[in-house]
Amino acid sequence: MEGRLNNKITLNKGITIPSLIFILLTSLLAGIFPIETGAVLDHIKNFIFVNLNWIYVWSVNIFIFFLFYLVLSKYGNIKLGNNDSIPQHSYFSWIAMLFAAGMGIGLMYFSVAEPMQHYTAPVFAANDAITRAKNAQLYTFFHYGIHAWAIYGVVGLSLSYFTYRYKLPLSLRSCFYPLLKDRINGVWGNVIDIFALCSTLFGITTTLGFGVLQINSGLVNMNIFPDTSFTYQVIIVCVLVAAAILSAVTGVSKGIKILSSINIVVVVFLLLFVLAVGPTTHLIGSFTEGIGYYISSFIELTFNTHAFKTDELPWFYDWTILYWAWWISWAPYVGVFIAKISRGRTIRSFVAAVLLIPTTFNFIWMTVFGNSAIWVDSDVANGALSNIAGNPDVLMFSFLEYLPLSGITSFLVIFIIIIFFVTSADSGIVVMDSIATKNSTKSPKLQIALWGGLLAVISLVLLNAGGLGALQSMTLITALPFSIIMILFIVSLVKALRIDYKYYNRDFSATTDLWSSDSWEDKLKQIVTFKNKSAIDIFISTTVKEAFTEMQEVLSKYEITSKINAHQDPHRIEIEIEHHILNNFKYGVKTQSRNLPEYLLEEQNLPGVNKDESFFPLSYFGDTREGYSVLYFTKNELIIDVLKHYERYLKLLTEEKNVMFTSSNSHHKKIKKVKKKFKN
């Protein structure tokens, strides 16, 4: 499926070529005819926002309540990966990376600008200053809160689940497997990935373009650059994209992870500084009141379409609907990146973290900067910030001039924007390469660098020609079809989760439930005796091995091929029944330890407790279900237990809906061929 050049290039032709044609054609039109292209795309965008805004509203509502449902449902404990998988990144690194990818430059660009623009909006001019300030905070919370992260969460969760649980490629097409089955590998799958690749590049290019403008304005404000001419924008883009490429080729676990961790520390430092030197008491009080206002207004905000306040409709289109479209258009990029770093999380922990942690931080950040700016504007600057509310490139730096150490804080702002720029670009490069290669495990560094070069060239062309607005309109237009695609993600995910839950919770047949033994006194002795490691190793080497060997001999009589595998560290042994098309059946037993509490060592009525660690033989299975202790099993009882799991395994094989759990990727094509053969 992958086209290779000189055995190095890993790009998929069916995805990359159509995507590049569309990307270059759109960029050329926006660069050569920026006014005409912008007018056409703006007209389409306005038509969608005015006539089809309800699609965005309902889509976002569905995303939010679906994720709330998952957190509270029985599916919350399902892991994004095998049942025994653990998270690959620490909690801090994970949060830092998803936060940098999800908000990034926008957090700096609009943290002062958005509250100030809501505060000074003509549509709310009739309200008193206090009401306008409270609503400015409320609407900013609304646009940067749970609604935004629910959009990212749906895509990230779908990709993580189907990639790590179903063992499918990290690709948007994989999210349609329960609906399209093997057709995801054909034309429909390519169309989905082409859409994702184009949307990702357009969204990143537009954001990076705006980031360059703010960095340039900040450097002029600090007298480092003399002006905001195109020459200096070229320097900024070349330096920062080069850094992004260097970070991208080092991989997620190094460059992106390190930069994101550094950035979150600097961001928190700047936040605490502004909180300390600003109107601290006012900020803490307004944050507390703002949270309550947001919670009490949540349902009204969520469903409000301003249908009965027609004078507010233009504001509604330019802010709420634009934001929903913007977050949706960014969802393929952010979702793929979040999925790349989320293996091993449970659905409940994933959703809770993605919805609540970045949202809470955004609320704190927007309160400290936005409410400080409004307070400074009304109490110190005599409306000076209100007068430049429409110029977000310089608004942040103008606000900082009213606080102590403005030179240092302005430098920190530029540093943060630069790191956000680099982390957005490098994670974007990684995501685009992942989409274009159908999640190739390793791409050549030159190929990764070419994606960075493409971002730089398109950004500079559009900056020079003034075509960023046209590309932004194109990005917002693509959000409409993708909102429908995301709803289908939910349908597909629900179908998969139902199968998943039933598969892993399928009990044994009633005929296998009988478990009996006459040696109950021996079992009592085992129960009250705490074992050391050597005792468990002996149990595995004797009782378990004898049981598996005897079972293997009987299986061979029925011409069923099996093998016994022995391993060390930890000591374990397993019986494996091999299959050509389906995954092998595997039942194993390994030495496992557990720590004993100190008070148990002092208990006089429990014999054999003389160490703070006890060992037991733990069963494990090929499909990574949770095992249990088999310490009290005799040889025959252990054989019966293996048969119970084998019977369960064979029963699950008869249900085609379980194919993604009973066959690996390498076997799946064989199943398809067999089905085709029988049809013919």
Short mmCIF file of all heavy atoms in Angstrom, two decimals, residues 195-231:
data_model
loop_
_atom_site.label_atom_id
_atom_site.label_comp_id
_atom_site.label_asym_id
_atom_site.label_seq_id
_atom_site.Cartn_x
_atom_site.Cartn_y
_atom_site.Cartn_z
N PHE A 195 -8.74 14.46 3.10
CA PHE A 195 -9.43 15.56 3.78
C PHE A 195 -8.68 15.95 5.05
O PHE A 195 -8.46 17.14 5.32
CB PHE A 195 -10.86 15.12 4.13
CG PHE A 195 -11.66 16.17 4.84
CD1 PHE A 195 -12.41 17.09 4.13
CD2 PHE A 195 -11.66 16.25 6.22
CE1 PHE A 195 -13.14 18.07 4.79
CE2 PHE A 195 -12.38 17.22 6.89
CZ PHE A 195 -13.13 18.13 6.16
N ALA A 196 -8.25 14.96 5.82
CA ALA A 196 -7.54 15.23 7.07
C ALA A 196 -6.21 15.92 6.81
O ALA A 196 -5.84 16.86 7.52
CB ALA A 196 -7.33 13.93 7.84
N LEU A 197 -5.49 15.48 5.80
CA LEU A 197 -4.18 16.06 5.49
C LEU A 197 -4.31 17.51 5.05
O LEU A 197 -3.58 18.39 5.53
CB LEU A 197 -3.48 15.24 4.41
CG LEU A 197 -2.07 15.69 4.01
CD1 LEU A 197 -1.15 15.74 5.22
CD2 LEU A 197 -1.50 14.75 2.96
N CYS A 198 -5.26 17.79 4.16
CA CYS A 198 -5.46 19.16 3.68
C CYS A 198 -5.92 20.07 4.82
O CYS A 198 -5.43 21.19 4.97
CB CYS A 198 -6.48 19.18 2.55
SG CYS A 198 -5.94 18.34 1.05
N SER A 199 -6.86 19.59 5.62
CA SER A 199 -7.38 20.39 6.72
C SER A 199 -6.27 20.70 7.73
O SER A 199 -6.17 21.82 8.24
CB SER A 199 -8.52 19.64 7.41
OG SER A 199 -9.00 20.36 8.52
N THR A 200 -5.43 19.71 8.00
CA THR A 200 -4.32 19.91 8.94
C THR A 200 -3.35 20.96 8.43
O THR A 200 -2.97 21.89 9.16
CB THR A 200 -3.57 18.58 9.17
OG1 THR A 200 -4.47 17.64 9.77
CG2 THR A 200 -2.37 18.78 10.07
N LEU A 201 -2.95 20.86 7.18
CA LEU A 201 -1.98 21.81 6.64
C LEU A 201 -2.55 23.22 6.59
O LEU A 201 -1.88 24.19 6.96
CB LEU A 201 -1.52 21.37 5.25
CG LEU A 201 -0.35 22.19 4.70
CD1 LEU A 201 0.67 21.29 4.02
CD2 LEU A 201 -0.83 23.25 3.72
N PHE A 202 -3.81 23.35 6.16
CA PHE A 202 -4.42 24.68 6.10
C PHE A 202 -4.52 25.31 7.49
O PHE A 202 -4.21 26.48 7.69
CB PHE A 202 -5.82 24.60 5.48
CG PHE A 202 -5.80 24.31 4.00
CD1 PHE A 202 -6.87 23.67 3.39
CD2 PHE A 202 -4.73 24.68 3.21
CE1 PHE A 202 -6.87 23.41 2.04
CE2 PHE A 202 -4.71 24.42 1.85
CZ PHE A 202 -5.78 23.77 1.26
N GLY A 203 -4.96 24.52 8.47
CA GLY A 203 -5.12 25.04 9.82
C GLY A 203 -3.80 25.47 10.43
O GLY A 203 -3.71 26.55 11.03
N ILE A 204 -2.77 24.64 10.28
CA ILE A 204 -1.47 24.98 10.85
C ILE A 204 -0.87 26.19 10.15
O ILE A 204 -0.33 27.10 10.79
CB ILE A 204 -0.51 23.78 10.75
CG1 ILE A 204 -1.03 22.62 11.60
CG2 ILE A 204 0.90 24.15 11.22
CD1 ILE A 204 -0.26 21.35 11.43
N THR A 205 -0.97 26.23 8.81
CA THR A 205 -0.41 27.35 8.06
C THR A 205 -1.04 28.67 8.48
O THR A 205 -0.34 29.67 8.69
CB THR A 205 -0.62 27.14 6.55
OG1 THR A 205 -0.01 25.92 6.15
CG2 THR A 205 -0.01 28.28 5.75
N THR A 206 -2.36 28.67 8.62
CA THR A 206 -3.05 29.90 9.02
C THR A 206 -2.62 30.34 10.41
O THR A 206 -2.30 31.51 10.65
CB THR A 206 -4.57 29.68 9.00
OG1 THR A 206 -4.96 29.19 7.71
CG2 THR A 206 -5.31 30.98 9.27
N THR A 207 -2.59 29.41 11.36
CA THR A 207 -2.20 29.74 12.73
C THR A 207 -0.76 30.22 12.81
O THR A 207 -0.45 31.18 13.52
CB THR A 207 -2.41 28.52 13.64
OG1 THR A 207 -3.78 28.12 13.57
CG2 THR A 207 -2.07 28.86 15.07
N LEU A 208 0.12 29.55 12.08
CA LEU A 208 1.52 29.96 12.09
C LEU A 208 1.68 31.35 11.47
O LEU A 208 2.52 32.14 11.91
CB LEU A 208 2.37 28.94 11.34
CG LEU A 208 2.44 27.53 11.94
CD1 LEU A 208 3.43 26.67 11.18
CD2 LEU A 208 2.79 27.58 13.41
N GLY A 209 0.89 31.63 10.46
CA GLY A 209 0.94 32.96 9.85
C GLY A 209 0.58 34.04 10.85
O GLY A 209 1.28 35.07 10.97
N PHE A 210 -0.49 33.82 11.61
CA PHE A 210 -0.88 34.80 12.64
C PHE A 210 0.17 34.86 13.76
O PHE A 210 0.43 35.92 14.33
CB PHE A 210 -2.25 34.44 13.23
CG PHE A 210 -3.37 34.63 12.24
CD1 PHE A 210 -4.41 33.70 12.15
CD2 PHE A 210 -3.40 35.72 11.41
CE1 PHE A 210 -5.45 33.88 11.25
CE2 PHE A 210 -4.43 35.91 10.49
CZ PHE A 210 -5.46 34.99 10.41
N GLY A 211 0.78 33.70 14.07
CA GLY A 211 1.83 33.70 15.09
C GLY A 211 3.04 34.52 14.67
O GLY A 211 3.63 35.23 15.49
N VAL A 212 3.40 34.44 13.39
CA VAL A 212 4.52 35.23 12.87
C VAL A 212 4.23 36.72 13.02
O VAL A 212 5.11 37.51 13.41
CB VAL A 212 4.79 34.88 11.40
CG1 VAL A 212 5.76 35.88 10.77
CG2 VAL A 212 5.35 33.48 11.29
N LEU A 213 3.00 37.12 12.73
CA LEU A 213 2.64 38.54 12.84
C LEU A 213 2.78 39.02 14.29
O LEU A 213 3.27 40.13 14.54
CB LEU A 213 1.20 38.75 12.36
CG LEU A 213 0.94 38.48 10.87
CD1 LEU A 213 -0.55 38.63 10.55
CD2 LEU A 213 1.76 39.43 10.00
N GLN A 214 2.35 38.19 15.25
CA GLN A 214 2.45 38.61 16.65
C GLN A 214 3.90 38.63 17.13
O GLN A 214 4.31 39.54 17.86
CB GLN A 214 1.61 37.71 17.55
CG GLN A 214 1.45 38.28 18.96
CD GLN A 214 0.59 37.42 19.86
OE1 GLN A 214 0.47 36.22 19.65
NE2 GLN A 214 0.00 38.02 20.87
N ILE A 215 4.69 37.64 16.72
CA ILE A 215 6.11 37.63 17.09
C ILE A 215 6.80 38.86 16.53
O ILE A 215 7.59 39.53 17.21
CB ILE A 215 6.79 36.34 16.58
CG1 ILE A 215 6.25 35.12 17.34
CG2 ILE A 215 8.31 36.43 16.76
CD1 ILE A 215 6.73 33.80 16.78
N ASN A 216 6.50 39.16 15.26
CA ASN A 216 7.11 40.33 14.62
C ASN A 216 6.73 41.62 15.36
O ASN A 216 7.58 42.47 15.62
CB ASN A 216 6.66 40.40 13.16
CG ASN A 216 7.59 41.25 12.31
OD1 ASN A 216 8.47 41.94 12.81
ND2 ASN A 216 7.41 41.19 11.01
N SER A 217 5.46 41.74 15.72
CA SER A 217 5.01 42.93 16.45
C SER A 217 5.70 43.03 17.80
O SER A 217 6.08 44.13 18.24
CB SER A 217 3.49 42.89 16.64
OG SER A 217 2.82 42.93 15.40
N GLY A 218 5.87 41.90 18.48
CA GLY A 218 6.54 41.91 19.77
C GLY A 218 8.00 42.31 19.66
O GLY A 218 8.52 43.06 20.50
N LEU A 219 8.68 41.83 18.63
CA LEU A 219 10.09 42.18 18.43
C LEU A 219 10.25 43.66 18.08
O LEU A 219 11.23 44.29 18.47
CB LEU A 219 10.69 41.30 17.33
CG LEU A 219 10.81 39.80 17.68
CD1 LEU A 219 11.27 39.00 16.47
CD2 LEU A 219 11.75 39.58 18.86
N VAL A 220 9.28 44.21 17.35
CA VAL A 220 9.30 45.65 17.07
C VAL A 220 9.06 46.43 18.36
O VAL A 220 9.72 47.45 18.63
CB VAL A 220 8.24 46.01 16.01
CG1 VAL A 220 8.08 47.53 15.89
CG2 VAL A 220 8.59 45.41 14.66
N ASN A 221 8.12 45.95 19.17
CA ASN A 221 7.81 46.61 20.43
C ASN A 221 9.02 46.65 21.37
O ASN A 221 9.19 47.58 22.16
CB ASN A 221 6.65 45.87 21.11
CG ASN A 221 6.15 46.58 22.36
OD1 ASN A 221 5.52 47.63 22.28
ND2 ASN A 221 6.43 46.00 23.53
N MET A 222 9.89 45.64 21.25
CA MET A 222 11.09 45.57 22.09
C MET A 222 12.31 46.18 21.40
O MET A 222 13.43 46.05 21.88
CB MET A 222 11.38 44.11 22.45
CG MET A 222 10.30 43.45 23.29
SD MET A 222 10.69 41.73 23.66
CE MET A 222 12.15 41.93 24.67
N ASN A 223 12.08 46.82 20.23
CA ASN A 223 13.14 47.48 19.47
C ASN A 223 14.22 46.51 18.98
O ASN A 223 15.38 46.90 18.79
CB ASN A 223 13.80 48.58 20.31
CG ASN A 223 12.82 49.68 20.68
OD1 ASN A 223 12.02 50.12 19.84
ND2 ASN A 223 12.86 50.12 21.93
N ILE A 224 13.85 45.26 18.78
CA ILE A 224 14.79 44.28 18.22
C ILE A 224 14.73 44.34 16.69
O ILE A 224 15.76 44.29 16.02
CB ILE A 224 14.47 42.87 18.74
CG1 ILE A 224 14.68 42.81 20.26
CG2 ILE A 224 15.34 41.82 18.05
CD1 ILE A 224 14.29 41.50 20.89
N PHE A 225 13.52 44.41 16.13
CA PHE A 225 13.33 44.63 14.70
C PHE A 225 12.81 46.04 14.50
O PHE A 225 12.00 46.53 15.32
CB PHE A 225 12.33 43.63 14.12
CG PHE A 225 12.89 42.24 13.89
CD1 PHE A 225 12.07 41.22 13.43
CD2 PHE A 225 14.23 41.95 14.12
CE1 PHE A 225 12.57 39.95 13.21
CE2 PHE A 225 14.74 40.69 13.91
CZ PHE A 225 13.91 39.68 13.45
N PRO A 226 13.22 46.71 13.40
CA PRO A 226 12.77 48.09 13.19
C PRO A 226 11.33 48.20 12.71
O PRO A 226 10.68 49.23 12.93
CB PRO A 226 13.75 48.61 12.13
CG PRO A 226 14.20 47.39 11.40
CD PRO A 226 14.23 46.29 12.42
N ASP A 227 10.82 47.16 12.02
CA ASP A 227 9.46 47.24 11.49
C ASP A 227 8.92 45.83 11.26
O ASP A 227 9.58 44.84 11.56
CB ASP A 227 9.42 48.05 10.18
CG ASP A 227 10.39 47.50 9.13
OD1 ASP A 227 10.28 46.30 8.79
OD2 ASP A 227 11.26 48.27 8.67
N THR A 228 7.71 45.78 10.71
CA THR A 228 7.05 44.49 10.46
C THR A 228 7.04 44.14 8.98
O THR A 228 6.08 43.54 8.49
CB THR A 228 5.60 44.53 10.99
OG1 THR A 228 4.90 45.60 10.34
CG2 THR A 228 5.56 44.72 12.48
N SER A 229 8.10 44.50 8.29
CA SER A 229 8.16 44.23 6.85
C SER A 229 8.30 42.74 6.58
O SER A 229 8.65 41.95 7.47
CB SER A 229 9.33 44.99 6.22
OG SER A 229 10.56 44.51 6.74
N PHE A 230 8.08 42.37 5.34
CA PHE A 230 8.10 40.96 4.95
C PHE A 230 9.48 40.34 5.15
O PHE A 230 9.59 39.15 5.44
CB PHE A 230 7.66 40.84 3.49
CG PHE A 230 7.62 39.42 2.98
CD1 PHE A 230 6.72 38.50 3.50
CD2 PHE A 230 8.51 39.00 1.99
CE1 PHE A 230 6.69 37.19 3.05
CE2 PHE A 230 8.48 37.70 1.54
CZ PHE A 230 7.57 36.79 2.06
N THR A 231 10.52 41.14 5.01
CA THR A 231 11.88 40.62 5.17
C THR A 231 12.07 39.99 6.55
O THR A 231 12.63 38.89 6.68
CB THR A 231 12.91 41.75 4.99
OG1 THR A 231 12.74 42.30 3.68
CG2 THR A 231 14.34 41.22 5.16
#
